[in-house]
Amino acid sequence: MEVYTTDNELFRVYLTYATLLVFKMFLLALYTVFIRITKKVFANREDYGYTYPEEKFKERQARADASKEKVERIRRCHLNDLENIPVFLIIGLLYLAINPPAHIAIWHYRVFVASRFFHMVAYLTPLPQPSRALSFVVGTGVTISMGVQILQSVAQF
């Protein structure tokens, strides 16, 4: 049986979790835009000018500073996803090539996805540390675990 086809149950599981992660990243980007618009917290000076005349720029910017922390928190959460999820997607796809036991692979995928969703909740709520750090460590551990198994399976030292 081909590894990278929908005939392979494990590949379908990977596609499901990968799609959830990609949608999560996309929705965080949209949430950032939504908060920027509703709170009128723009990234660039010219964006203020589109909505407000230049003379009101400083007045509007001063009021927006109070809402800026929420936008920055969402943005940092999104950036963290961009640093971690693509690596998992690549390693997770390569992991299928070594034909791991299905239950182990599925648990790797589940734990990583759960850790990233919990990381988002911990970042946006915000929950006290070490909740966010622990979720990061769990997700990183999953990725490293799969990577080590790949290397053990194929490396010829």
Coordinates of all heavy atoms in Angstrom, one line a residue, residues 32-115:
T32 N -6.5 38.4 14.4 CA -5.7 39.6 14.5 C -6.3 40.7 13.7 O -6.4 41.9 14.2 CB -4.3 39.3 14.0 OG1 -3.8 38.2 14.7 CG2 -3.3 40.5 14.2
V33 N -6.7 40.5 12.5 CA -7.3 41.5 11.6 C -8.5 42.1 12.3 O -8.8 43.3 12.3 CB -7.5 41.0 10.2 CG1 -8.4 42.0 9.4 CG2 -6.2 40.7 9.5
F34 N -9.4 41.2 12.8 CA -10.6 41.6 13.4 C -10.4 42.5 14.6 O -11.0 43.5 14.7 CB -11.4 40.3 13.8 CG -12.7 40.6 14.6 CD1 -13.8 41.1 14.0 CD2 -12.7 40.5 16.0 CE1 -14.9 41.4 14.7 CE2 -13.8 40.7 16.7 CZ -14.9 41.2 16.1
I35 N -9.5 42.1 15.4 CA -9.2 42.9 16.6 C -8.6 44.3 16.2 O -8.9 45.3 16.8 CB -8.3 42.2 17.6 CG1 -9.0 41.0 18.2 CG2 -7.8 43.1 18.7 CD1 -10.3 41.3 19.0
R36 N -7.7 44.3 15.2 CA -7.1 45.5 14.8 C -8.1 46.5 14.3 O -8.1 47.7 14.6 CB -6.1 45.2 13.6 CG -4.7 44.8 14.1 CD -3.7 44.8 12.9 NE -2.5 44.2 13.2 CZ -1.5 44.8 13.9 NH1 -1.7 46.0 14.4 NH2 -0.4 44.2 14.2
I37 N -9.1 46.0 13.5 CA -10.2 46.8 13.0 C -11.1 47.3 14.0 O -11.4 48.5 14.1 CB -10.9 46.1 11.8 CG1 -9.9 45.9 10.6 CG2 -12.2 46.8 11.4 CD1 -10.5 45.1 9.5
T38 N -11.6 46.3 14.9 CA -12.6 46.7 15.9 C -12.0 47.6 17.0 O -12.7 48.5 17.5 CB -13.3 45.5 16.5 OG1 -12.2 44.7 17.1 CG2 -14.0 44.7 15.5
K39 N -10.8 47.4 17.3 CA -10.1 48.3 18.3 C -9.4 49.4 17.7 O -8.8 50.3 18.4 CB -9.1 47.4 19.2 CG -9.8 46.2 19.9 CD -10.7 46.7 21.0 CE -11.2 45.5 21.7 NZ -12.1 45.8 22.8
K40 N -9.4 49.5 16.4 CA -8.7 50.5 15.7 C -7.2 50.7 16.1 O -6.7 51.7 16.4 CB -9.4 51.9 15.8 CG -10.8 51.8 15.2 CD -11.6 53.1 15.4 CE -12.9 53.0 14.7 NZ -13.7 51.9 14.9
V41 N -6.6 49.5 16.1 CA -5.1 49.4 16.4 C -4.4 48.9 15.2 O -4.4 47.7 14.9 CB -4.9 48.4 17.6 CG1 -3.4 48.3 17.9 CG2 -5.7 48.8 18.8
F42 N -3.9 49.9 14.4 CA -3.3 49.5 13.1 C -1.8 49.4 13.2 O -1.2 50.0 14.1 CB -3.7 50.6 12.1 CG -5.2 50.7 12.0 CD1 -5.9 51.9 12.4 CD2 -5.9 49.7 11.4 CE1 -7.2 52.0 12.3 CE2 -7.3 49.8 11.3 CZ -8.0 51.0 11.7
A43 N -1.2 48.7 12.3 CA 0.2 48.4 12.3 C 1.0 49.6 11.7 O 2.2 49.8 12.1 CB 0.5 47.1 11.6
N44 N 0.4 50.3 10.8 CA 1.1 51.3 10.1 C 0.4 52.7 10.2 O -0.8 52.7 10.2 CB 1.2 51.0 8.6 CG 1.9 49.6 8.5 OD1 3.1 49.4 8.9 ND2 1.2 48.6 7.9
R45 N 1.2 53.8 10.2 CA 0.6 55.1 10.3 C -0.4 55.4 9.2 O -1.5 56.0 9.5 CB 1.7 56.1 10.3 CG 1.3 57.5 10.4 CD 2.5 58.5 10.3 NE 2.0 59.8 10.5 CZ 2.1 60.5 11.6 NH1 2.7 60.0 12.6 NH2 1.7 61.8 11.7
E46 N -0.2 54.9 8.0 CA -1.1 55.2 6.9 C -2.4 54.6 7.1 O -3.4 55.0 6.5 CB -0.5 54.9 5.5 CG -0.2 53.4 5.3 CD 1.2 53.0 5.8 OE1 1.9 53.7 6.6 OE2 1.7 51.9 5.3
D47 N -2.5 53.5 7.8 CA -3.7 52.8 8.1 C -4.6 53.7 9.0 O -5.8 53.6 8.8 CB -3.5 51.4 8.8 CG -2.7 50.5 7.9 OD1 -2.7 50.7 6.7 OD2 -2.0 49.6 8.5
Y48 N -4.1 54.4 9.8 CA -4.9 55.4 10.6 C -5.5 56.4 9.7 O -6.6 56.8 9.9 CB -4.0 56.0 11.7 CG -3.7 55.2 12.9 CD1 -2.5 54.5 13.0 CD2 -4.6 55.0 13.9 CE1 -2.2 53.7 14.0 CE2 -4.3 54.2 15.0 CZ -3.1 53.6 15.1 OH -2.8 52.8 16.1
G49 N -4.7 56.9 8.8 CA -5.1 58.0 7.9 C -6.3 57.5 7.0 O -7.1 58.4 6.6
Y50 N -6.4 56.2 6.7 CA -7.5 55.7 5.9 C -8.8 55.9 6.7 O -9.8 56.3 6.1 CB -7.3 54.3 5.6 CG -8.4 53.6 4.9 CD1 -8.6 53.9 3.5 CD2 -9.3 52.8 5.5 CE1 -9.6 53.3 2.8 CE2 -10.3 52.2 4.8 CZ -10.5 52.4 3.5 OH -11.5 51.9 2.8
T51 N -8.8 55.7 8.0 CA -10.0 55.8 8.8 C -10.2 57.2 9.4 O -11.3 57.7 9.6 CB -10.0 54.8 9.9 OG1 -9.7 53.5 9.3 CG2 -11.3 54.7 10.6
Y52 N -9.1 57.8 9.7 CA -9.1 59.1 10.5 C -8.2 60.1 9.7 O -7.2 59.8 9.2 CB -8.5 58.9 11.9 CG -9.3 58.0 12.7 CD1 -8.9 56.6 12.8 CD2 -10.5 58.4 13.3 CE1 -9.7 55.7 13.5 CE2 -11.3 57.5 14.0 CZ -10.9 56.1 14.1 OH -11.6 55.3 14.8
P53 N -8.7 61.4 9.7 CA -7.9 62.5 9.2 C -6.5 62.6 9.9 O -6.4 62.2 11.1 CB -8.7 63.7 9.3 CG -10.1 63.3 9.7 CD -9.9 61.9 10.2
E54 N -5.5 63.1 9.3 CA -4.2 63.2 9.8 C -4.2 63.9 11.2 O -3.5 63.5 12.1 CB -3.2 63.9 8.8 CG -1.8 64.0 9.3 CD -1.1 62.6 9.4 OE1 -1.5 61.7 8.8 OE2 -0.1 62.6 10.2
E55 N -5.0 65.0 11.3 CA -4.9 65.7 12.6 C -5.5 64.9 13.7 O -5.1 65.2 14.9 CB -5.7 67.0 12.4 CG -7.2 66.9 12.1 CD -7.5 66.8 10.7 OE1 -6.6 66.8 9.8 OE2 -8.7 66.9 10.3
K56 N -6.2 63.9 13.5 CA -6.7 63.0 14.6 C -5.8 61.8 14.8 O -6.1 61.0 15.7 CB -8.1 62.6 14.3 CG -9.2 63.7 14.3 CD -10.5 63.1 14.5 CE -11.5 64.3 14.8 NZ -12.7 63.8 15.3
F57 N -4.8 61.7 14.1 CA -3.9 60.5 14.2 C -3.4 60.3 15.6 O -3.5 59.3 16.2 CB -2.7 60.6 13.2 CG -1.7 59.6 13.4 CD1 -1.9 58.3 13.1 CD2 -0.5 60.0 14.0 CE1 -0.9 57.3 13.3 CE2 0.5 59.0 14.2 CZ 0.3 57.7 13.9
K58 N -2.8 61.4 16.2 CA -2.2 61.3 17.5 C -3.2 61.0 18.6 O -3.0 60.2 19.5 CB -1.4 62.5 17.8 CG -0.1 62.6 17.0 CD 0.8 63.7 17.4 CE 1.9 63.8 16.4 NZ 3.1 64.3 16.8
E59 N -4.3 61.6 18.5 CA -5.4 61.4 19.4 C -5.9 59.9 19.3 O -6.1 59.2 20.3 CB -6.6 62.3 19.1 CG -7.8 62.1 20.0 CD -9.0 62.9 19.5 OE1 -8.8 64.0 18.9 OE2 -10.1 62.4 19.6
R60 N -6.1 59.4 18.1 CA -6.6 58.1 17.9 C -5.5 57.1 18.4 O -5.8 56.0 19.0 CB -6.9 57.9 16.5 CG -7.4 56.5 16.1 CD -8.7 56.2 16.7 NE -8.7 54.9 17.3 CZ -9.4 54.5 18.4 NH1 -10.2 55.3 18.9 NH2 -9.2 53.3 18.8
Q61 N -4.2 57.4 18.1 CA -3.1 56.5 18.4 C -3.0 56.4 19.9 O -2.8 55.3 20.5 CB -1.8 57.0 17.8 CG -0.7 56.0 18.0 CD 0.6 56.5 17.3 OE1 0.8 57.7 17.3 NE2 1.3 55.5 16.8
A62 N -3.2 57.4 20.7 CA -3.1 57.4 22.1 C -4.2 56.5 22.7 O -4.0 55.7 23.6 CB -3.3 58.8 22.7
R63 N -5.4 56.6 22.2 CA -6.5 55.7 22.6 C -6.3 54.2 22.2 O -6.6 53.3 22.9 CB -7.9 56.2 22.1 CG -8.4 57.3 22.9 CD -9.8 57.7 22.4 NE -9.7 58.6 21.3 CZ -10.6 58.7 20.3 NH1 -11.7 57.9 20.3 NH2 -10.4 59.5 19.3
A64 N -5.6 54.0 21.1 CA -5.4 52.7 20.6 C -4.3 52.0 21.4 O -4.3 50.7 21.5 CB -4.9 52.7 19.2
D65 N -3.4 52.7 22.1 CA -2.3 52.1 22.8 C -2.9 51.1 23.9 O -2.3 50.1 24.2 CB -1.4 53.1 23.5 CG -0.5 53.8 22.4 OD1 -0.3 53.2 21.4 OD2 0.1 54.8 22.7
A66 N -4.0 51.5 24.5 CA -4.6 50.6 25.5 C -5.0 49.3 24.9 O -5.0 48.2 25.6 CB -5.8 51.3 26.1
S67 N -5.4 49.2 23.7 CA -5.9 48.0 23.0 C -4.7 47.2 22.4 O -4.9 46.1 21.9 CB -6.9 48.3 22.0 OG -8.0 48.9 22.6
K68 N -3.6 47.9 22.3 CA -2.5 47.3 21.5 C -2.0 46.0 22.1 O -1.5 45.1 21.4 CB -1.3 48.3 21.5 CG -0.3 48.0 20.4 CD 0.7 49.2 20.3 CE 1.6 48.9 19.1 NZ 2.4 50.1 18.9
E69 N -2.0 45.9 23.4 CA -1.5 44.7 24.1 C -2.2 43.4 23.6 O -1.6 42.4 23.4 CB -1.6 44.8 25.6 CG -1.2 43.5 26.4 CD 0.2 43.0 26.1 OE1 1.1 43.8 25.8 OE2 0.3 41.7 26.2
K70 N -3.6 43.5 23.4 CA -4.3 42.4 23.0 C -3.9 42.0 21.6 O -3.7 40.8 21.3 CB -5.8 42.7 23.0 CG -6.7 41.5 22.6 CD -8.1 41.7 22.9 CE -8.9 40.4 22.7 NZ -10.3 40.5 23.1
V71 N -3.8 43.0 20.7 CA -3.3 42.7 19.3 C -1.9 42.1 19.3 O -1.7 41.1 18.6 CB -3.3 44.0 18.5 CG1 -2.7 43.8 17.1 CG2 -4.7 44.5 18.3
E72 N -1.0 42.6 20.1 CA 0.3 42.1 20.2 C 0.3 40.6 20.7 O 1.1 39.8 20.3 CB 1.2 43.0 21.0 CG 1.6 44.2 20.3 CD 2.4 43.9 19.0 OE1 3.4 43.1 19.0 OE2 1.9 44.4 17.9
R73 N -0.5 40.4 21.7 CA -0.6 39.0 22.3 C -1.1 38.0 21.2 O -0.5 36.9 21.1 CB -1.5 39.0 23.5 CG -1.6 37.7 24.2 CD -2.3 37.9 25.5 NE -1.5 38.5 26.5 CZ -0.6 37.9 27.2 NH1 -0.3 36.7 27.0 NH2 0.1 38.6 28.1
I74 N -2.1 38.4 20.4 CA -2.5 37.5 19.3 C -1.4 37.3 18.3 O -1.2 36.2 17.8 CB -3.8 38.1 18.7 CG1 -4.9 38.2 19.7 CG2 -4.3 37.2 17.5 CD1 -6.1 39.1 19.2
R75 N -0.8 38.4 18.0 CA 0.3 38.4 16.9 C 1.4 37.5 17.4 O 1.9 36.7 16.6 CB 0.8 39.8 16.7 CG 1.7 39.9 15.4 CD 2.2 41.3 15.2 NE 3.1 41.7 16.3 CZ 4.3 41.3 16.4 NH1 4.9 40.5 15.5 NH2 5.1 41.8 17.4
R76 N 1.8 37.6 18.7 CA 2.9 36.8 19.2 C 2.5 35.3 19.2 O 3.3 34.4 18.9 CB 3.4 37.2 20.6 CG 4.1 38.5 20.5 CD 4.7 38.9 21.9 NE 3.8 38.8 23.0 CZ 3.2 39.9 23.5 NH1 3.3 41.1 22.9 NH2 2.4 39.7 24.5
C77 N 1.3 35.0 19.5 CA 0.8 33.6 19.5 C 0.8 33.1 18.1 O 1.3 31.9 17.9 CB -0.7 33.6 20.0 SG -1.4 32.0 20.1
H78 N 0.4 33.9 17.1 CA 0.5 33.5 15.7 C 1.9 33.2 15.3 O 2.2 32.2 14.6 CB -0.2 34.5 14.9 CG -0.4 34.1 13.4 ND1 0.0 35.0 12.4 CD2 -0.9 33.0 12.9 CE1 -0.3 34.3 11.3 NE2 -0.8 33.2 11.5
L79 N 2.8 34.1 15.6 CA 4.2 33.9 15.3 C 4.8 32.7 15.9 O 5.6 31.9 15.2 CB 5.0 35.1 15.7 CG 4.9 36.4 14.9 CD1 5.6 37.6 15.6 CD2 5.4 36.2 13.5
N80 N 4.4 32.3 17.1 CA 4.8 31.1 17.8 C 4.3 29.9 17.0 O 5.1 28.9 16.8 CB 4.4 31.1 19.2 CG 5.0 30.0 20.0 OD1 4.6 28.8 19.9 ND2 6.1 30.3 20.7
D81 N 3.1 30.0 16.5 CA 2.6 28.9 15.6 C 3.4 28.8 14.4 O 3.7 27.7 13.9 CB 1.1 29.1 15.3 CG 0.1 28.7 16.3 OD1 0.5 28.1 17.3 OD2 -1.0 29.0 16.2
L82 N 3.8 29.9 13.8 CA 4.5 29.9 12.5 C 5.9 29.3 12.7 O 6.6 28.8 11.8 CB 4.6 31.3 11.9 CG 3.3 31.8 11.4 CD1 3.4 33.3 11.0 CD2 2.8 31.0 10.2
E83 N 6.4 29.4 14.0 CA 7.7 28.8 14.3 C 7.7 27.3 14.6 O 8.7 26.6 14.4 CB 8.4 29.5 15.5 CG 8.7 30.9 15.2 CD 9.0 31.7 16.5 OE1 8.9 31.1 17.6 OE2 9.4 32.9 16.4
N84 N 6.5 26.8 15.0 CA 6.4 25.4 15.5 C 5.6 24.5 14.5 O 6.0 23.3 14.3 CB 5.8 25.4 16.9 CG 6.8 26.0 17.9 OD1 7.7 25.3 18.3 ND2 6.6 27.2 18.2
I85 N 4.5 25.0 14.0 CA 3.6 24.1 13.3 C 4.2 23.6 11.9 O 4.1 22.4 11.6 CB 2.2 24.7 13.1 CG1 1.6 24.8 14.5 CG2 1.4 24.0 12.1 CD1 0.2 25.5 14.5
P86 N 4.9 24.5 11.2 CA 5.4 24.0 9.9 C 6.5 22.9 10.1 O 6.5 21.9 9.3 CB 6.1 25.2 9.3 CG 5.3 26.4 9.8 CD 4.9 26.0 11.2
V87 N 7.3 23.0 11.2 CA 8.3 22.0 11.5 C 7.6 20.6 11.8 O 7.9 19.6 11.3 CB 9.2 22.4 12.6 CG1 10.1 21.2 13.0 CG2 10.0 23.6 12.3
F88 N 6.5 20.7 12.6 CA 5.7 19.5 12.9 C 5.1 18.9 11.6 O 5.1 17.7 11.4 CB 4.6 19.8 13.9 CG 3.6 18.7 14.0 CD1 3.9 17.6 14.8 CD2 2.4 18.7 13.3 CE1 3.0 16.5 14.9 CE2 1.5 17.7 13.4 CZ 1.8 16.6 14.2
L89 N 4.6 19.8 10.7 CA 3.9 19.3 9.5 C 4.9 18.5 8.7 O 4.6 17.5 8.1 CB 3.3 20.4 8.7 CG 2.1 21.1 9.4 CD1 1.7 22.3 8.6 CD2 1.0 20.2 9.7
I90 N 6.1 19.0 8.6 CA 7.2 18.3 7.7 C 7.6 17.0 8.4 O 7.6 16.0 7.8 CB 8.4 19.3 7.5 CG1 7.9 20.4 6.6 CG2 9.5 18.5 6.9 CD1 8.9 21.6 6.5
I91 N 8.0 17.1 9.7 CA 8.4 15.9 10.4 C 7.3 14.9 10.5 O 7.5 13.7 10.3 CB 8.9 16.3 11.8 CG1 10.2 17.1 11.8 CG2 9.1 15.0 12.7 CD1 11.4 16.4 11.3
G92 N 6.1 15.3 10.7 CA 4.9 14.4 10.8 C 4.7 13.7 9.5 O 4.3 12.5 9.4
L93 N 4.9 14.4 8.4 CA 4.8 13.8 7.0 C 5.9 12.7 6.8 O 5.7 11.6 6.3 CB 4.7 14.8 6.0 CG 4.3 14.4 4.6 CD1 2.9 13.8 4.5 CD2 4.4 15.6 3.6
L94 N 7.1 13.1 7.1 CA 8.3 12.2 7.0 C 8.1 11.0 7.9 O 8.5 9.9 7.5 CB 9.6 12.9 7.3 CG 10.0 14.1 6.4 CD1 11.2 14.8 6.9 CD2 10.2 13.6 5.0
Y95 N 7.5 11.2 9.0 CA 7.3 10.1 10.0 C 6.5 9.0 9.4 O 6.8 7.8 9.7 CB 6.6 10.7 11.2 CG 6.5 9.8 12.4 CD1 7.6 9.2 13.0 CD2 5.3 9.5 13.0 CE1 7.5 8.4 14.1 CE2 5.2 8.7 14.1 CZ 6.3 8.2 14.7 OH 6.2 7.3 15.8
L96 N 5.6 9.3 8.6 CA 4.8 8.3 7.9 C 5.6 7.3 7.0 O 5.3 6.2 6.9 CB 3.7 8.9 7.1 CG 2.6 9.7 7.8 CD1 1.6 10.4 6.8 CD2 1.8 8.7 8.7
A97 N 6.7 7.9 6.5 CA 7.5 7.1 5.6 C 8.2 5.9 6.3 O 8.6 5.0 5.6 CB 8.5 8.0 4.9
I98 N 8.4 6.0 7.6 CA 9.1 4.9 8.3 C 8.1 3.8 8.8 O 8.4 2.9 9.5 CB 9.9 5.4 9.5 CG1 9.1 6.0 10.6 CG2 11.0 6.4 9.0 CD1 9.9 6.2 11.9
N99 N 6.8 4.0 8.4 CA 5.7 3.1 8.8 C 5.7 2.8 10.3 O 5.8 1.7 10.7 CB 5.9 1.8 8.0 CG 4.6 1.0 8.0 OD1 3.5 1.5 8.2 ND2 4.8 -0.3 7.8
P100 N 5.5 3.9 11.1 CA 5.4 3.7 12.6 C 4.2 2.9 13.0 O 3.2 2.9 12.2 CB 5.4 5.1 13.1 CG 4.7 5.9 12.0 CD 5.1 5.2 10.7
P101 N 4.1 2.3 14.2 CA 2.9 1.7 14.6 C 1.8 2.8 14.6 O 2.0 3.9 15.1 CB 3.2 1.2 16.0 CG 4.7 1.1 16.1 CD 5.2 2.1 15.1
A102 N 0.6 2.4 14.1 CA -0.4 3.4 14.0 C -0.8 4.1 15.3 O -1.0 5.3 15.3 CB -1.7 2.7 13.4
H103 N -0.9 3.3 16.4 CA -1.4 3.9 17.6 C -0.4 4.9 18.2 O -0.7 5.9 18.7 CB -1.7 2.8 18.7 CG -0.5 2.0 19.1 ND1 0.1 1.1 18.4 CD2 0.2 2.1 20.3 CE1 1.1 0.6 19.0 NE2 1.2 1.2 20.2
I104 N 0.9 4.6 17.9 CA 2.0 5.6 18.4 C 1.9 6.9 17.5 O 2.0 8.0 18.1 CB 3.3 4.9 18.4 CG1 3.4 3.8 19.4 CG2 4.4 5.9 18.6 CD1 4.6 3.0 19.4
A105 N 1.8 6.7 16.2 CA 1.8 7.9 15.4 C 0.5 8.7 15.7 O 0.6 10.0 15.8 CB 1.8 7.4 13.9
I106 N -0.6 8.1 15.9 CA -1.8 8.8 16.1 C -1.7 9.6 17.5 O -2.1 10.8 17.5 CB -3.0 7.9 16.2 CG1 -3.3 7.4 14.7 CG2 -4.3 8.6 16.7 CD1 -4.3 6.3 14.6
W107 N -1.1 9.0 18.5 CA -0.9 9.7 19.7 C 0.1 10.9 19.6 O -0.1 11.9 20.2 CB -0.5 8.8 20.9 CG -1.7 8.1 21.5 CD1 -2.2 6.9 21.3 CD2 -2.7 8.8 22.3 NE1 -3.4 6.7 22.0 CE2 -3.7 7.9 22.6 CE3 -2.8 10.1 22.8 CZ2 -4.8 8.2 23.4 CZ3 -3.9 10.4 23.5 CH2 -4.9 9.5 23.8
H108 N 1.1 10.7 18.8 CA 2.0 11.8 18.5 C 1.2 13.0 17.9 O 1.4 14.1 18.4 CB 3.1 11.4 17.6 CG 4.3 10.8 18.2 ND1 4.4 9.4 18.4 CD2 5.5 11.3 18.7 CE1 5.5 9.1 19.0 NE2 6.2 10.3 19.2
Y109 N 0.4 12.7 16.9 CA -0.4 13.8 16.3 C -1.4 14.4 17.2 O -1.5 15.6 17.3 CB -1.1 13.2 15.1 CG -0.2 12.7 13.9 CD1 -0.7 11.7 13.1 CD2 1.1 13.1 13.8 CE1 0.1 11.3 12.0 CE2 1.9 12.7 12.8 CZ 1.4 11.7 11.9 OH 2.2 11.3 10.9
R110 N -2.1 13.6 18.0 CA -3.1 14.1 18.9 C -2.4 15.0 20.0 O -2.9 16.1 20.3 CB -3.8 13.0 19.6 CG -4.8 12.3 18.8 CD -5.4 11.1 19.6 NE -6.4 10.4 18.8 CZ -6.8 9.2 19.0 NH1 -6.5 8.6 20.1 NH2 -7.7 8.7 18.2
V111 N -1.3 14.5 20.6 CA -0.7 15.3 21.6 C -0.2 16.6 21.1 O -0.3 17.7 21.8 CB 0.4 14.5 22.3 CG1 1.3 15.3 23.3 CG2 -0.2 13.3 23.1
F112 N 0.4 16.6 19.9 CA 1.0 17.9 19.4 C -0.2 18.9 19.1 O -0.1 20.0 19.5 CB 1.7 17.6 18.1 CG 2.3 18.9 17.6 CD1 3.6 19.4 18.0 CD2 1.7 19.7 16.6 CE1 4.1 20.6 17.6 CE2 2.2 20.9 16.2 CZ 3.4 21.3 16.7
V113 N -1.2 18.4 18.5 CA -2.4 19.3 18.2 C -3.0 19.8 19.5 O -3.3 21.0 19.6 CB -3.4 18.6 17.3 CG1 -4.7 19.4 17.2 CG2 -2.8 18.3 15.9
A114 N -3.2 19.0 20.4 CA -3.7 19.4 21.7 C -2.8 20.4 22.4 O -3.3 21.4 22.9 CB -4.0 18.2 22.6
S115 N -1.5 20.2 22.3 CA -0.6 21.1 22.9 C -0.6 22.5 22.3 O -0.5 23.5 22.9 CB 0.9 20.6 22.9 OG 1.4 20.7 21.7

